[in-house]
Amino acid sequence: MIAKTPRILTILIIILVSFECKSLAVTRYVNITNPTPGAGTSWATAFNNLQSAMNAANFGDHIWVAQGTYKPNSPVGRSATFLLHGGTFIYAGFNGTETAETQRNPAIYPTILSGDIGVPGDRADNCYHVVTIENGISNPLLYDFIIRDGQADAGYPASSVAVPDNTGGGVLVLAHPGEITALSMYNCTLTNNFAVYGGALGAFGDGGQQTNHGGSGNIFNGNQAVYGGAIANIASGGNWAAINYSSCIFINNNASGSNASVVYQSIDNGASNCMTYLYNCLFYDEAVPMFTSLTTGTGYSFSLYNCIIWKSGSPYTGGYADGNSPVVIDQSDVGGTPPSGSNIDADPMFVNAAGGDFHVPPCSPVVDAGFPWTFANMGETDFDKNNRVQGSMDIGPYEQVKGTVSAAPTATAPAPYCQNGPASQLTATGSNLLWYTVSTGGTGVSTAPTPSTASIGSTTYYVSQTPASSCESPRAPVTVTVNAGAAAPTVSTPAPYCQNVVALPLTATGSGLLWYTAATGGTGVSVAPTPATASAGTIDYYVSQTLSGCESPRAPVTVTIKAGAAAPVAPSPSYCVGDAAPALTATAASGASLIWYTVASGGTGDPVAPVPPTSSAGTISYFVSQLPATGCESQRREVDVSVRAAPAVQFSWSNACEGKATVITAATSGGAQYSWDFGGSATVTGSGAGPYEVEWTSGNAYMVTLKETSGGCQGQAQHLITVNPNPKVGIAPLASSLCSGNTISLEAYGASSYQWSPATGLSNAGIADPAVRLQNSIQYTVTGTDDNGCTASAQVTLDISPDCLVYSIPDAFTPNGDGNNDVFRVKTGDDPKGFSLIVFNRYGAKVFETSNVGIGWDGMIGGNSAPVGTYVYVLQATTSAGILVRKQGTILLVR
């Protein structure tokens, strides 16, 4: 750090002056959307032109700028710029309602200063500088602005000689002879700016003046220049220039050719001085060279400390700086080939670089890895405004608390393996293990490796652990040893077998033999296999031996199975149960003999053909081969003898009654053939399995026979069917008068059950003796069914009598108990609607009374026999037709 005292003294003076005047400071308000701008002393009277607020501001004033895009409009044309006044504090990120500076939120309410003053999107008419500081302006302070679209290209490309209007597209710090011009920026974003010198920011001084600029938390992104894509310092004629930035981020800035994509400084004579200090900054995806330092004397310094230089894709290979004076990069993390010094090349482990998140986790190698410079040089907070030192100084713009590094996991080397033998995955005890093939560097995998045993020797693997809330541990070595295997055992190949003959177990000479069915892989068995001879061809087996714990390569053993002759031709016969079956037959080739078996393989053959039994239904399998005069026995031909049972025949029938159809049906139907004999003369309709309707005209017993043929086998069923006579059904004569409204009883006989039709007026149509309430003349038919299910019918006609409304009264009765004329009652066939009969003795005393036409006087008074004599009766009735009948007279009681 060379000759910093003048710069520090200058800034200290500026800060002291700022604090001295702060008590007189005024807050001025700017809101581009205010339709009625005023004096700018409140949001209601806010300026809607930023330059108006700057012109009104005095040293130490605060300017609050609401969200929106602001464009300079003076001076006219491309020379328009926002000209800052010294000692002002200019804040962005308000929504236009706040009452305290701490209430602003730049992320939600961005405030943009744009140089796109002409045709939108046409850079040719953009202003040279969006913001300008000149005329000895002492240290205005900018907070949280987005500065973009400046185009400082005056005279270019015809000329690239440094002049003010081709320097600093976003911001120009300009000092005229004898002036000191300074600027401080905090948390600003400079993007999409262009200049010949310093795309985002340029400092220009010529002739004994001084330019200073610096700050922290700024982003320089996507700016372009011919010299110095982000920043350029031009010092000539004895000018003194200083740059001091900390915790800033530089991304994707570019310059033409090899002219410093980030910072370019030029000192053109020995009287000029230029000092550039960059602390804890990030340079991401910047093209090399990033830094250029050109001097003609000794008054220079260009240093980077605690910075990260990194890129996506392939790492850098050097060439970070050029020029004729050195650029010091120290205590930094440089991806690729770090410059000499106390630099490291370690992945900083950005949280999401592609998404613009350059925070690092607690276990990043940049945590606590920086040089502990004093806060006066570097700023007291990181990019997020957190305390800069948390433990020790970090490298890069963000400060992080370092995680705890755990101890290495416990790992034990496995027992030595044999060459080409199986190996198991390595194991270790720990949390979140990572396996490596190198002791440092490389990329770990979470899946434990399975060592290769193809070559003898030793191989060392490494494993680390990362417990929760800890950093990755050192790597523990795990050494795997592979020893040479034994020689393959000696084998003998058996003579060829004939197909389907019994083979012997294979043999080999060696120790600890293991037999396999594959040249590699699989699981060996110690029992020698017996080859299968069911199929012709060759079968390969493999055998190894084990000596001193190591299994040898596998020796092949090839077994040849010769094909047998073609199987003979043999039919599979079919029989019915009980048939007399002949011996089985087959056709052999000329000169060959037949051999019969009862099993598909194995067993002992017999040259005599078997005679299959037919006593029970089922399938019996036999097998036959042929043996040529020379060669191998053929495969066996299966002969399936089918013994079929006669079909189970049965039929059913309904009750048989003379002169009525009986329904007869076979119990099965389908592909069978049916033959019926119904016995005797009968009328028959139906076919096949039925149903048949069979009618016999007279009662008798008839033998019915059904023969059923299925699959060539026949079964039979016979049943004796009795044809029953029909019952003799009749209706008893009626004992009651047939009067409308009367209820009478019908009575059928000659059967077991009855059904009357129609059911009109009947109390129950399903009984022998239903009651009938007469209304009109009607005819009833009763059908009787006997116990055999046979039926017969009878009819009765009920005609209403015309004399039913007559009420007759006898003139004497004899209640002597002889059952003849024992009761005095009214005789009528009518069912009256109302009825009253009263009997008086000769003294006028009432001796009997009833309101029921069916009840009469039995000649008793109070339980005693009434005396013989004459009695008087009074009758009053309302007939069923509604006619009133009144009668009175005498009745003679005689005993």
Side-chain angles (χ1 to χ4, degrees), residues 305-354:
Y305 297 100
N306 292 352
C307 292
I308 299 175
I309 299 176
W310 208 261
K311 68 188 293 287
S312 58
S314 301
Y316 292 112
T317 58
Y320 308 103
D322 66 357
N324 60 4
S325 57
V327 174
V328 176
I329 302 175
D330 202 2
Q331 291 297 133
S332 297
D333 184 10
V334 182
T337 305
S340 59
S342 300
N343 296 301
I344 61 173
D345 175 10
D347 184 355
M349 303 165 60
F350 295 127
V351 170
N352 183 7

Side-chain angles (χ1 to χ4, degrees), residues 275-318:
M275 293 199 284
T276 298
Y277 295 99
L278 301 172
Y279 303 97
N280 288 86
C281 291
L282 166 65
F283 304 92
Y284 188 78
D285 274 351
E286 300 286 13
V288 294
M290 301 177 197
F291 314 107
T292 296
S293 180
L294 297 173
T295 68
T296 57
T298 59
Y300 67 88
S301 177
F302 199 139
S303 301
L304 289 79
Y305 297 100
N306 292 352
C307 292
I308 299 175
I309 299 176
W310 208 261
K311 68 188 293 287
S312 58
S314 301
Y316 292 112
T317 58

